[in-house]
């Protein structure tokens, strides 16, 4: 199991990024638009840099929903490779059997 504080911190990042997503996208759109004056783009860049760092989507870590493990997580299933193996071993995943010889 992962540390509870690490999982909670990641949950906080998810909530913050969801809350500020539209604001961040609007500011990015202004910054990238070459038709807008340089001063306005610079002001938008300043506002963007004043937003919390944890509100960026790339700060969110893909974690296993069962164990909280940060590495080796299948995106589609949101389960780590170890938890997937355990569930397959116990027959809880339809169509998956652990090979043995």
């Amino acid at each position: 199991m992962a540390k509870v504080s690490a999982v909670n911190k990641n949950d906080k990042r998810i909530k913050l990024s969801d809350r500020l997503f539209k604001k961040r996208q609007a500011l990015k759109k202004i910054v990238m638009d070459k038709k807008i004056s340089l001063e306005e783009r610079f002001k938008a860049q300043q506002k963007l840099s004043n937003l919390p760092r944890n509100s960026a989507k790339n700060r969110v870590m893909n974690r296993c929903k069962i164990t909280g493990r940060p590495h080796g997580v299948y995106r589609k299933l949101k389960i780590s490779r170890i938890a997937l193996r355990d569930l397959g071993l116990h027959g809880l995943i339809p169509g998956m059997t652990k090979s043995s010889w």
Side-chain angles (χ1 to χ4, degrees), residues 22 55 63:
K22 289 183 181 177
S55 66
R63 287 188 170 268

Side-chain angles (χ1 to χ4, degrees), residues 5 7 22 24 32 34 40-41 54 59 63 71 75 84 86 93-94 96:
S5 62
V7 174
K22 289 183 181 177
R24 188 172 272 280
M32 298 303 284
K34 302 288 183 188
E40 287 183 37
R41 289 172 55 202
N54 284 338
R59 301 274 290 198
R63 287 188 170 268
H71 296 291
R75 289 181 183 179
L84 181 70
D86 286 341
I93 298 176
M96 184 176 180

Side-chain angles (χ1 to χ4, degrees), residues 33-63:
D33 192 4
K34 302 288 183 188
K35 296 174 185 172
I36 298 174
S37 69
L38 192 63
E39 294 137 11
E40 287 183 37
R41 289 172 55 202
F42 186 71
K43 286 180 184 176
Q45 181 66 45
Q46 290 291 327
K47 287 180 183 177
L48 190 62
S49 65
N50 285 337
L51 288 176
R53 282 187 177 178
N54 284 338
S55 66
K57 276 283 190 196
N58 61 341
R59 301 274 290 198
V60 175
M61 190 76 172
N62 288 331
R63 287 188 170 268

Side-chain angles (χ1 to χ4, degrees), residues 1-88:
M1 289 294 292
K3 289 173 61 176
V4 177
S5 62
V7 174
N8 290 341
K9 190 184 291 187
N10 197 48
D11 291 341
K12 181 181 171 186
R13 285 180 180 150
I14 291 170
K15 288 175 188 170
L16 192 63
S17 65
D18 288 343
R19 186 165 48 97
L20 294 175
F21 179 74
K22 289 183 181 177
K23 186 174 186 178
R24 188 172 272 280
Q25 285 298 105
L27 288 171
K28 278 186 180 181
K29 191 174 182 180
I30 293 169
V31 169
M32 298 303 284
D33 192 4
K34 302 288 183 188
K35 296 174 185 172
I36 298 174
S37 69
L38 192 63
E39 294 137 11
E40 287 183 37
R41 289 172 55 202
F42 186 71
K43 286 180 184 176
Q45 181 66 45
Q46 290 291 327
K47 287 180 183 177
L48 190 62
S49 65
N50 285 337
L51 288 176
R53 282 187 177 178
N54 284 338
S55 66
K57 276 283 190 196
N58 61 341
R59 301 274 290 198
V60 175
M61 190 76 172
N62 288 331
R63 287 188 170 268
C64 176
K65 294 293 181 181
I66 298 169
T67 61
R69 180 178 163 78
H71 296 291
V73 177
Y74 290 99
R75 289 181 183 179
K76 196 171 191 177
L77 303 172
K78 296 183 181 175
I79 298 175
S80 71
R81 60 185 177 84
I82 297 165
L84 181 70
R85 185 173 185 269
D86 286 341
L87 291 174

